Amino acid sequence: MKQHHYRATITWTGNQGTGTSGYKAYSRDHVISAEGKKDIEGSSDPSFRGDKSRYSPEDLLLDAISSCHMLWYLHLCAVNGVVVTNYVDQATAVMAEESDGSGQFTEATLNPVVTVQHENMIAKANALHHEANKLCFIARSVNFPVHHHPTAVV
């Protein structure tokens, strides 16, 4: 089996002068960086005292599922003669929070709207989402279902 290795640096930037001296004394802001890539400004979800203008870990998990699916899907379309001219996914996910504050995702739903070049490509375009889900590295790595509600248009 071939292995791929990834590195990320997460730097907390939320020390407001007193560190974590109290629950409300610090910001959840942080920066996600990797060599040769633009930084991503992160925070916790606003429900957990985070900055809503920054990406939360929950956002990034859903983003990873959706973008991984899209990349596999576009590959499968290219090798199967389906010409895609536009792809937009309004993905959603549900996280259940437990009484002790822990939580887990219970499902994600991808809602891609795919524009194809010809009407005779629509059936194949819709079918390839199933194959993309079977190949997506991220969807294969999570322990909750990833649903698909694709729409193909010309």
Side-chain angles (χ1 to χ4, degrees):
M1 175 188 310
K2 186 176 184 181
Q3 291 187 340
H4 301 268
H5 299 268
Y6 300 91
R7 296 179 65 123
T9 301
I10 312 302
T11 305
W12 176 50
T13 59
N15 184 346
Q16 297 177 335
T18 60
T20 58
S21 61
Y23 181 72
K24 295 181 178 181
Y26 65 96
S27 163
R28 278 58 176 171
D29 292 357
H30 56 277
V31 175
I32 303 163
S33 55
E35 188 175 330
K37 299 178 183 182
K38 292 182 182 180
D39 289 350
I40 297 172
E41 293 184 338
S43 191
S44 62
D45 182 279
S47 299
F48 308 105
R49 303 192 49 77
D51 181 343
K52 68 180 179 180
S53 70
R54 292 173 171 239
Y55 286 96
S56 70
E58 296 83 5
D59 292 328
L60 295 171
L61 178 60
L62 180 59
D63 297 342
I65 294 167
S66 178
S67 60
C68 183
H69 177 86
M70 179 195 68
L71 293 168
W72 268 110
Y73 177 78
L74 294 174
H75 167 77
L76 291 169
C77 285
V79 299
N80 282 281
V82 176
V83 179
V84 174
T85 59
N86 195 41
Y87 183 109
V88 177
D89 183 13
Q90 297 287 331
T92 61
V94 177
M95 185 184 77
E97 185 180 351
E98 305 294 336
S99 60
D100 67 357
S102 66
Q104 63 279 329
F105 278 81
T106 57
E107 66 179 299
T109 303
L110 307 184
N111 300 290
V113 177
V114 179
T115 304
V116 296
Q117 194 173 48
H118 298 290
E119 190 171 324
N120 65 351
M121 296 176 176
I122 289 177
K124 185 69 169 179
N126 284 330
L128 288 173
H129 285 284
H130 179 72
E131 287 301 309
N133 187 58
K134 290 190 332 188
L135 296 168
C136 173
F137 309 135
I138 308 301
R140 291 172 52 96
S141 299
V142 298
N143 66 353
F144 53 86
V146 178
H147 307 289
H148 302 87
H149 299 283
T151 303
V153 297
V154 177

